[in-house]
Amino acid sequence: MRRIPLSQIQPHMHLARDIYHLNSLLLREGTSNLDRYTASLANLGITSIYIVDNISEDIEIPDAITEQTRVKCKDALQDTLFHFRTEGSFDTTCLSRAIDSLIEDLFARKDVLISLTDIATTDDNTLVHSVSTTVLSLLMGQRLNLSEVEMRVLAEGALLHDIGKTLLDPAILFKTEPLTSEEFAHIQMHPLLGYRALQRNPLITELSRLLALQHHERLDGSGYPQHLPGEDTHLFAKIVAIADVYDALTSERCYHKSMTNHQAYEILMSDSGTKLDAQLLHVFFNNIAIYPNGSLVRLSNGTRGIVKSQNKEAPFRPLIRIIDDINGETVKLYDLDLMKDLTTQIIS
Ligand SMILES: [Fe+2]
Ligand SMILES: [Fe+2]
């Protein structure tokens, strides 16, 4: 399977993963004649999909959690946010069950470099972002050998980290033009609003609330709302901060196109040790595929290919399925392991 933009859909391709919209199934895996759906998908804010064709048949894209767990988490979160908006309070039973599934999936997964494979539509952006941030945070937590109790607290806080956004003015939150300084100040209120909202629920742990409050703090004190320096920010908030920025950069939002994992890697690393914790970044990028399986890459020898599989010890040197030569002519497919051919590199 591989991920392609809607504009590259061809008649011979089949859908490789179910597509959901607001937790209901939109298109089932295996669907053919995908060009019939291009316009409707684009209307929902979907810009790329997973497909299988003859060059990507045997390529798998490992995800950290199953599709069922993802849907369960989004469902639970949607329910929680709905009750919170309408009644000002919520029950944590549903959320707690979703956390069980998340943790179970993570511990069952094989030790591979993953890439998150969820595709967000315009309407469920926040849900997808919260679930992805949680998965990425838990992956770090797992590497740091957190206890199960700690993992649950981290999951709870990460799922609810942006709950304060539900109290913001949607006209400002979803504004596509640049924000004025007043509007920016309004957005910056969401950590405190979230913290206060979570204080009203006695079943939420204080540490989970702190994650909502501190996830925009930065080591050098340049974050908000309290401008806390690194030594005063909780470890879990530093974890969520990395997951949050990475997901924001790599997923499509109404106001920007997504970046590649590699571009996001460069941006996060440029803040390493100054704004974001260097050791945690190291742990983070040991779990993430910089060039995810199924992505199209150009090599320094002039050929193009699709990433077939990962070399766990060298995230920058995966195995590539070469699909065309220097002149762009189709070739008989062959695989090139960049760990064996050290003279060739991925250039874009
Ligand atoms: Fe936030
Ligand atoms: Fe966030």
Side-chain angles (χ1 to χ4, degrees):
M1 103 171 66
R2 59 192 181 112
R3 187 173 182 161
I4 57 159
L6 291 184
S7 58
Q8 286 176 18
I9 290 177
Q10 303 278 329
H12 64 276
M13 295 172 172
H14 293 267
L15 192 64
R17 276 181 195 269
D18 295 342
I19 299 180
Y20 285 85
H21 175 238
L22 296 176
N23 293 344
S24 54
L25 185 65
L26 209 65
L27 283 179
R28 193 176 288 283
E29 177 188 330
T31 303
S32 53
N33 297 323
L34 292 165
D35 42 332
R36 285 181 296 171
Y37 307 106
T38 317
S40 351
L41 291 173
N43 279 338
L44 289 171
I46 295 176
T47 53
S48 63
I49 56 169
Y50 289 94
I51 58 98
V52 210
D53 56 4
N54 55 342
I55 54 174
S56 63
E57 258 164 11
D58 58 344
I59 297 178
E60 280 175 38
I61 307 183
D63 198 346
I65 57 168
T66 63
E67 195 55 42
Q68 289 98 302
T69 299
R70 204 182 283 284
V71 173
K72 193 170 174 180
C73 289
K74 282 195 270 182
D75 247 340
L77 197 57
Q78 191 175 28
D79 210 50
T80 304
L81 297 181
F82 174 77
H83 284 285
F84 173 65
R85 258 193 303 258
T86 51
E87 295 149 28
S89 64
F90 57 86
D91 176 29
T92 51
T93 328
C94 220
L95 216 52
S96 165
R97 268 191 238 119
I99 293 173
D100 287 340
S101 308
L102 265 179
I103 293 179
E104 205 174 297
D105 276 18
L106 277 167
F107 281 99
R109 116 203 133 89
K110 290 183 223 99
D111 188 30
V112 288
L113 295 177
I114 62 115
S115 54
L116 297 182
T117 60
D118 204 9
I119 287 178
T121 62
T122 329
D123 300 327
D124 62 10
N125 254 326
T126 318
L127 299 180
V128 172
H129 167 65
S130 301
V131 175
S132 299
T133 303
T134 307
V135 173
L136 295 170
S137 301
L138 289 176
L139 280 168
M140 281 189 268
Q142 195 181 20
R143 277 301 168 104
L144 295 168
N145 291 321
L146 297 187
S147 69
E148 197 183 324
V149 176
E150 291 171 315
M151 288 284 272
R152 296 192 66 90
V153 172
L154 179 60
E156 184 180 72
L159 280 170
L160 298 170
H161 79 277
D162 272 338
I163 193 169
K165 282 194 178 169
T166 57
L167 300 168
L168 296 181
D169 177 356
I172 299 175
L173 187 61
F174 299 112
K175 193 177 165 191
T176 46
E177 301 89 56
L179 297 179
T180 64
S181 50
E182 290 82 40
E183 288 168 338
F184 197 56
H186 179 71
I187 299 280
Q188 289 189 333
M189 279 163 59
H190 80 272
L192 190 60
L193 291 174
Y195 177 74
R196 290 203 187 121
L198 295 176
Q199 269 183 325
R200 293 204 295 271
N201 191 321
L203 291 174
I204 300 285
T205 62
E206 179 60 15
L207 184 46
S208 297
R209 293 183 194 127
L210 271 188
L211 299 194
L213 183 65
Q214 297 183 349
H215 71 277
H216 286 289
E217 297 293 355
R218 296 295 178 258
L219 294 186
D220 57 3
S222 64
Y224 60 87
Q226 295 171 290
H227 313 288
L228 290 181
E231 57 271 23
D232 296 337
T233 308
H234 195 279
L235 168 74
F236 290 6
K238 292 176 188 164
I239 292 178
V240 174
I242 292 174
D244 180 49
V245 178
Y246 182 82
D247 184 68
L249 294 175
T250 54
S251 53
E252 308 220 0
R253 296 287 175 82
C254 49
Y255 42 85
H256 70 72
K257 276 223 147 295
S258 68
M259 285 181 188
T260 64
N261 293 9
H262 185 242
Q263 288 166 322
Y265 169 84
E266 299 283 348
I267 290 186
L268 266 77
M269 289 313 279
S270 69
D271 283 340
S272 174
T274 50
K275 291 186 172 16
L276 301 170
D277 188 286
Q279 235 178 323
L280 291 176
L281 276 174
H282 181 75
V283 171
F284 182 68
F285 284 111
N286 266 322
N287 280 295
I288 303 292
I290 304 289
Y291 299 106
N293 292 3
S295 46
L296 187 65
V297 290
R298 185 174 292 284
L299 302 179
S300 56
N301 64 9
T303 59
R304 280 193 327 157
I306 297 169
V307 179
K308 187 183 174 193
S309 60
Q310 303 289 321
N311 283 308
K312 182 88 175 75
E313 304 315 319
F316 289 93
R317 309 199 70 81
L319 188 91
I320 313 288
R321 158 83 36 94
I322 304 296
I323 56 167
D324 57 29
D325 67 10
I326 310 166
N327 307 314
E329 302 284 335
T330 315
V331 292
K332 189 168 179 300
L333 303 177
Y334 66 96
D335 294 343
L336 175 70
D337 187 347
L338 294 183
M339 259 323 259
K340 293 188 180 133
D341 179 355
L342 294 172
T343 57
T344 308
Q345 297 143 36
I346 294 175
I347 52 168
S348 64

